[in-house]
Amino acid sequence: MSGRDRAEAEVLRVLGTAAPAGRTVTPDDRLLEDLGLAPADVTRLAWDIEQALGIDLPRDDLASVFTVRSLIDLVDQHYDPATADPQHGWHM
């Protein structure tokens, strides 16, 4: 699996946990309008993605993410499987 494929799979997995029941998340979905997420939800979910992939997403960049695809692109820009240090465990 390429780094881009891994980034996309993780974003879709994490967003799928927050999507309305029975809703399949697609790259074309809008985070707020289609998935019904609040900005605070997006920040929390980005933290989950960071922990799972061992990356840091700049909060300034995250503020300009409005679609699932743009979140995948942002994660892909910062994810390097060779240097990733995933963190697992309990979080807020």
Side-chain angles (χ1 to χ4, degrees):
M1 180 180 282
S2 73
R4 168 95 184 167
D5 291 341
R6 174 77 173 106
E8 181 172 340
E10 191 60 31
V11 169
L12 293 175
R13 183 193 70 77
V14 169
L15 292 179
T17 65
R23 175 89 160 65
T24 300
V25 177
T26 70
D28 294 323
D29 286 332
R30 296 169 297 169
L31 298 171
L32 306 180
E33 296 87 350
D34 297 329
L35 299 180
L37 300 174
D41 296 327
V42 175
T43 301
R44 181 184 54 80
L45 294 167
W47 191 87
D48 290 344
I49 294 165
E50 289 175 327
Q51 295 299 298
L53 294 177
I55 61 173
D56 289 313
L57 298 174
R59 293 303 178 251
D60 290 343
D61 292 349
L62 188 59
S64 63
V65 168
F66 300 104
T67 66
V68 173
R69 186 177 316 283
S70 62
L71 181 56
I72 292 168
D73 291 343
L74 179 63
V75 170
D76 183 46
Q77 289 172 11
H78 295 279
Y79 178 58
D80 179 357
T83 60
D85 183 24
Q87 306 294 312
H88 302 284
W90 185 86
H91 64 274
M92 297 174 66

